[in-house]
Amino acid sequence: MTGPPDSSPHSSSPADRLSYEQAGVRYDSIDPLKVAAQRAAASTAHHLVALGFSEVVASRGESAYVVDVGPFCIASIVECLGSKALVADEMHDLTGKDYYAGIAQDTIAMAINDLITVGATPLIVQAYWAAGGSAWFDDAGRCAALVEGWKRACDICGVAWGGGETPALAGIVEAGRIDLAASCTGIVSPKRRLSLGDALGPGDAIVLLGSSGIHANGLSLARKLAERLPRGYLTPLASGTSYGEALLTPTLLYSQVTEALFAAGIVPHYCANITGHGWRKLLRHPAAQGYRIHTLPPVPEVLQFIQHQAGQDARAAYSTFNMGAGFALFVAADAAKRAVAVAQAQGVTAWLAGEVVTGAKRLFIEPLGIEFAADTLQLR
Amino acid sequence: MTGPPDSSPHSSSPADRLSYEQAGVRYDSIDPLKVAAQRAAASTAHHLVALGFSEVVASRGESAYVVDVGPFCIASIVECLGSKALVADEMHDLTGKDYYAGIAQDTIAMAINDLITVGATPLIVQAYWAAGGSAWFDDAGRCAALVEGWKRACDICGVAWGGGETPALAGIVEAGRIDLAASCTGIVSPKRRLSLGDALGPGDAIVLLGSSGIHANGLSLARKLAERLPRGYLTPLASGTSYGEALLTPTLLYSQVTEALFAAGIVPHYCANITGHGWRKLLRHPAAQGYRIHTLPPVPEVLQFIQHQAGQDARAAYSTFNMGAGFALFVAADAAKRAVAVAQAQGVTAWLAGEVVTGAKRLFIEPLGIEFAADTLQLR
C-alpha cells in the first residue's frame, strides 16, 4: 500500500475504459441461478429439525452457513480461487518462478475469510485441486509449492488440513490448468460469538483491515488489462515491482484478527469480507441503515495502477476492487479503537474508517463524494 | 442389475482391450502428490489441540476426516463428480433430454457416501458448480434441473443445503463444461457410532449394498469406449436402454441405510464406499487380515456391457468398477442378516456376501477365483 487513492479524473477516453463485463464476467446471467439455488437450499433446512438441530436463519445469504447443534454452532463453506492461477501460470512462463505457494494461500483465504465473518473459529480445511489432466501433477516443484503453501496457510490460521480431492479432469478443466477451491468447517463457540448482524445498528463503528493488494477478486479485469499493456505482466509499477508480481501477492488471512478480538473481549456486531463487488460488500447486511466512510485506507499500488490503466473512476474502482480494505469489522463504538489496536498487534493494518448511521440503506464514501445505493448489491 | 457377472474368457484380442491408463487416467503421477499432501495435512492436526479439540487419528487416510469436538465428532469432506457430466452433455446433444438432475444426485452421492463411511450423519451440503463461463448459466432448463436434482438428493439424505459457489471460470474450466463438486459436514453422535475399523476383525460379516449402475467412477473408460462404438452412446444394450442412458442412471445414496442401521442398534465396524479402484476399496482398512467374498451381487447390465466391450477379464473389471456393489458394510456376524434386512427395508438391495478372515491382507473373490493383494490398493 503505497499512497492515497487516485480519484482524480483520468485521461483515458471512454472507448479505452475496461469494465468488468468487458472482461467476460456477466453477473446478470449467473444471479437468477443463484436465486433459484438459494430458495431451494432454504427449503431443505427442516431436515436439521428432524435431527434435533436448527439452522441459524440469519446466516442464509451470508458468507457462511451456520447450524445450531446444541452446545455450539457449526459453520461451513466452499469457496473457489477464481482465475488468479492463470496469472501464476503466465508469470511462470515469463520468469521461471513458481507462484503456487502464494496461490494456495489465496485459495484458503477465500474460504477462511468468508467463514470468520459469522463469528466462527476455523477448524478444518479440505483441499479441492482439480487439474486438467494427470500431467499437471508431473511438475514436482509446482506440486511441492502448492502443498507447502497450503500447509503454511493452515498454520497461519491455526486450522487442521483434513484432506481433499485431487481429480484429473481432462475434458472439463483445460489442459495445463487447475481449478482450486477450499471447503472449510468451523465452530461458533460460545454462541454469543455469532456476528450475523443482530446487534448491528446506528452508532456502530466501521473498522477496515488492510489488504495486501488485489487479493483474489477482480482478476478477470486485471488479466484483460495485461493483454493491453505492451510489456504485459512484466510492466513495472512505480516501485519497480512488475505488474504480475504485484498481482500475485497472496491474499491476507484475517482469522488471527477475529480470534484475537474475541480473546480481547470484543465480539463484532457484523463482518464483511471485501471480495467480489468491492466496497459494495459493505452493504451486505439486509438492515435499512446507512454506512458512512470518513477515512480511506491507502490504495495498494497495484490497484492504483489498474484503476488508472483501466480508466476507472472512483465509483467503478471501489465497486470492483478492495481498494486497500480486505475486511470490514462493525463493532460497538466504544470498542473501535481497541479493535484497531488488536488488529495491528496481529500485524494487520487497521483503520477506524466510518460509522453506521440511520436512514436509507446506502454506502457513502465521503472523501470521494460517492454513494452506493442498496440496489447496487443484490446477493439475495 | 440384470444378471450374473460375466467372468468368462472374452473374444477381444489384447490389442482391443481398453485399460484405465489407456483412458487417460494415470494414478502413478497423482499419487506422489497425494502422499506429500497427506503428510503435510497430518502435520497440521496439532492446531486442534490448541483449540481444546483433537483429530480422530484413525480417520487420516479414510474417506472423511473426523475431529473430536467434545460432545460429538465433526466429519467433513469435499468430493468431485469427475467426468460423468461429459456424458450428460453428449447425451443432451444426441437426445435433447436434460440429465443434470441426475448429475446433481451423482455429485452429492460422491460426498455423502464417503462421509457416512466414518459413522457420520450428514448435516450440511455445500454446492461447488464451476462453469467454463457465464454462458453455461444461460440455459435455464439445465440450471433448473441442476437445482432441482440437488435439492431432491438433499431431501433423500435428510441434509440441509447450506449454499455454495457458482463461479464462471473461463480459461480454467472448458467452455460449455462444468466442474461439479460437493462438500459435506456431518456429525458422529454418539461417538460410539465411529466406524473407523477399531472393532473390525476376523469373523465379521461383509454386507454389500447394490449399485444402480456405473455410479460416477470409471467414466473415463466408459467414455473412451463410446468412441469405439459405431453408434456411440446410442448403442442399445440387451434391455433396449441405450448405453448413454444406462451410464447416466444416478448413483444411489446410502445415508438412509446407515441411519436406519443405527436406529436398529447396528453400528458397522467399518464401511467402504466402492468408487475408484472398484472392489480393491474393500482392502481400504490398514489391518492385516483377509476378506473372503463368497456371494456376488448381480452385475448391472451397463457394467457387463463395458466389461465385454473393453475386453476386460474379471480381475480388471472388479478392480475398476463397482460390479453391482456400491457400498460395503463390515458388521458383527450376528448382525449381518439384520443389516441386510434393514437395507432392504430402505429400498436398497443387500447381500451377505463374505467375511473377514485371519491371515495376510488380501481380498479373495471365491466365485471368480481372483485375489487382490494388499499392494493393489495404495491410498496412504
Side-chain angles (χ1 to χ4, degrees):
Chain A
M1 286 156 274
T2 57
D6 175 7
S7 62
S8 58
H10 44 73
S11 57
S12 308
S13 73
D16 291 328
R17 290 181 197 169
L18 187 59
S19 75
Y20 217 66
E21 284 67 26
Q22 285 172 302
V25 176
R26 293 183 297 113
Y27 279 113
D28 54 348
S29 70
I30 301 175
D31 285 352
L33 168 69
K34 280 193 179 178
V35 170
Q38 282 170 0
R39 284 182 186 155
S43 75
T44 61
H46 64 94
H47 295 307
L48 296 168
V49 177
L51 295 166
F53 306 133
S54 60
E55 78 171 10
V56 175
V57 177
S59 72
R60 284 274 173 209
E62 291 294 335
S63 297
Y65 181 62
V66 186
V67 172
D68 187 335
V69 292
F72 44 72
C73 296
I74 293 177
S76 69
I77 191 169
V78 65
E79 279 293 322
C80 165
L81 171 65
S83 66
K84 192 166 179 174
L86 295 175
V87 182
D89 292 344
E90 193 151 341
M91 281 294 286
H92 177 266
D93 292 345
L94 293 168
T95 70
K97 285 175 63 177
D98 195 291
Y99 296 89
Y100 270 85
I103 289 294
Q105 177 168 328
D106 285 310
T107 308
I108 290 184
M110 297 299 279
I112 291 279
N113 291 346
D114 263 7
L115 189 86
I116 60 175
T117 61
V118 299
T121 300
L123 286 190
I124 309 154
V125 162
Q126 301 280 358
Y128 182 71
W129 303 344
S134 309
W136 200 95
F137 301 107
D138 289 340
D139 182 334
R142 182 168 61 183
C143 288
L146 181 58
V147 169
E148 192 261 330
W150 198 272
K151 174 181 150 41
R152 196 175 56 213
C154 289
D155 287 339
I156 292 171
C157 298
V159 69
W161 177 2
E165 175 85 331
T166 56
L169 293 182
I172 295 175
V173 174
E174 294 206 2
R177 303 300 181 191
I178 192 159
D179 179 17
L180 295 168
S183 73
C184 190
T185 303
I187 66 167
V188 185
S189 177
K191 292 184 198 173
R192 65 183 170 81
R193 278 192 68 170
L194 273 176
S195 50
L196 290 165
D198 293 354
L200 181 67
D204 283 351
I206 302 172
V207 172
L208 296 176
L209 304 183
S211 73
S212 60
I214 195 170
H215 285 185
N217 289 97
L219 270 299
S220 296
L221 193 150
R223 292 188 297 113
K224 200 83 183 170
L225 192 59
E227 296 171 12
R228 307 205 318 196
L229 297 169
R231 295 185 59 190
Y233 288 118
L234 297 182
T235 306
L237 307 187
S239 65
T241 305
S242 73
Y243 177 50
E245 285 280 347
L247 287 174
L248 288 165
T249 305
T251 306
L252 294 185
L253 297 154
Y254 297 114
S255 60
Q256 326 97 285
V257 175
T258 49
E259 289 305 300
L261 283 172
F262 183 71
I266 300 171
V267 173
H269 293 173
Y270 192 65
C271 300
N273 186 20
I274 303 176
T275 55
H277 303 93
W279 282 40
R280 287 180 286 166
K281 279 280 168 72
L282 295 172
L283 290 163
R284 178 155 207 147
H285 191 266
Q289 55 202 6
Y291 304 91
R292 186 179 78 88
I293 300 293
H294 53 66
T295 300
L296 292 178
V299 179
E301 182 184 30
V302 69
L303 297 181
Q304 292 184 47
F305 178 83
I306 291 171
Q307 181 182 358
H308 179 75
Q309 292 290 334
Q312 290 186 316
D313 59 17
R315 185 178 180 79
Y318 278 79
S319 70
T320 307
F321 297 104
N322 71 60
M323 302 307 278
F327 199 89
L329 299 161
F330 301 75
V331 298
D334 62 5
K337 284 188 179 164
R338 274 201 304 136
V340 169
V342 166
Q344 307 265 28
Q346 294 298 317
V348 175
T349 318
W351 298 269
L352 173 44
E355 61 177 339
V356 183
V357 296
T358 54
K361 183 174 176 180
R362 56 167 202 159
L363 167 67
F364 186 49
I365 308 176
E366 285 183 348
L368 302 172
I370 55 177
E371 182 179 312
F372 293 100
D375 63 2
T376 60
L377 182 73
Q378 295 179 323
L379 296 176
R380 48 185 120 198
Chain B
M1 286 157 274
T2 56
D6 175 7
S7 61
S8 57
H10 44 73
S11 56
S12 308
S13 72
D16 290 329
R17 291 180 196 170
L18 188 58
S19 76
Y20 217 63
E21 284 67 27
Q22 284 172 304
V25 176
R26 294 183 295 114
Y27 279 113
D28 53 349
S29 70
I30 301 175
D31 285 352
L33 169 69
K34 280 193 179 177
V35 170
Q38 282 171 0
R39 285 183 186 155
S43 76
T44 62
H46 64 94
H47 295 308
L48 296 168
V49 178
L51 295 166
F53 305 135
S54 60
E55 76 172 10
V56 176
V57 178
S59 72
R60 285 274 173 207
E62 290 296 333
S63 297
Y65 181 62
V66 185
V67 172
D68 187 336
V69 293
F72 43 71
C73 296
I74 293 177
S76 69
I77 191 169
V78 64
E79 279 293 323
C80 166
L81 171 64
S83 66
K84 191 165 179 175
L86 294 175
V87 181
D89 292 344
E90 192 151 342
M91 281 294 286
H92 177 266
D93 292 345
L94 292 168
T95 70
K97 286 176 61 177
D98 195 292
Y99 297 89
Y100 270 85
I103 288 293
Q105 177 169 329
D106 285 310
T107 308
I108 289 184
M110 296 300 279
I112 291 280
N113 291 346
D114 263 7
L115 190 86
I116 60 175
T117 61
V118 299
T121 300
L123 287 189
I124 310 154
V125 161
Q126 300 281 357
Y128 182 72
W129 303 343
S134 309
W136 200 95
F137 301 108
D138 289 340
D139 182 335
R142 181 168 60 182
C143 288
L146 181 58
V147 168
E148 191 261 330
W150 198 273
K151 175 181 150 40
R152 196 175 56 213
C154 289
D155 287 340
I156 292 171
C157 298
V159 71
W161 177 2
E165 173 86 332
T166 55
L169 293 182
I172 294 176
V173 175
E174 295 207 3
R177 303 300 181 191
I178 193 160
D179 178 18
L180 295 167
S183 74
C184 191
T185 303
I187 66 168
V188 184
S189 178
K191 292 185 199 174
R192 66 184 170 82
R193 277 192 70 171
L194 273 176
S195 52
L196 290 165
D198 293 354
L200 182 66
D204 283 352
I206 301 171
V207 172
L208 296 176
L209 303 183
S211 72
S212 60
I214 195 171
H215 285 185
N217 289 96
L219 270 298
S220 295
L221 194 150
R223 292 188 295 115
K224 198 83 183 169
L225 192 59
E227 295 171 13
R228 308 206 316 197
L229 297 169
R231 295 186 59 190
Y233 288 119
L234 298 182
T235 306
L237 307 187
S239 64
T241 306
S242 73
Y243 177 50
E245 285 281 346
L247 286 174
L248 287 165
T249 306
T251 306
L252 294 186
L253 297 153
Y254 297 114
S255 59
Q256 326 96 285
V257 175
T258 49
E259 289 305 301
L261 283 173
F262 182 71
I266 299 172
V267 174
H269 292 174
Y270 192 66
C271 299
N273 186 19
I274 302 177
T275 55
H277 303 94
W279 282 39
R280 289 180 285 166
K281 280 281 168 72
L282 295 172
L283 290 163
R284 177 155 207 147
H285 192 267
Q289 55 203 5
Y291 305 91
R292 186 179 77 88
I293 300 293
H294 53 67
T295 300
L296 291 177
V299 179
E301 182 184 31
V302 69
L303 296 181
Q304 293 183 47
F305 178 82
I306 291 171
Q307 179 182 0
H308 179 75
Q309 292 290 334
Q312 291 186 315
D313 58 18
R315 184 177 180 81
Y318 278 79
S319 70
T320 307
F321 297 105
N322 70 59
M323 303 307 279
F327 198 88
L329 299 161
F330 300 76
V331 299
D334 62 5
K337 284 188 180 164
R338 274 200 305 135
V340 169
V342 166
Q344 307 264 28
Q346 294 297 318
V348 175
T349 318
W351 300 269
L352 173 45
E355 62 176 339
V356 183
V357 295
T358 54
K361 184 174 176 181
R362 56 167 201 161
L363 168 67
F364 186 51
I365 307 176
E366 284 181 350
L368 302 172
I370 56 177
E371 182 179 311
F372 292 100
D375 63 1
T376 60
L377 182 73
Q378 294 179 324
L379 295 177
R380 48 184 119 199

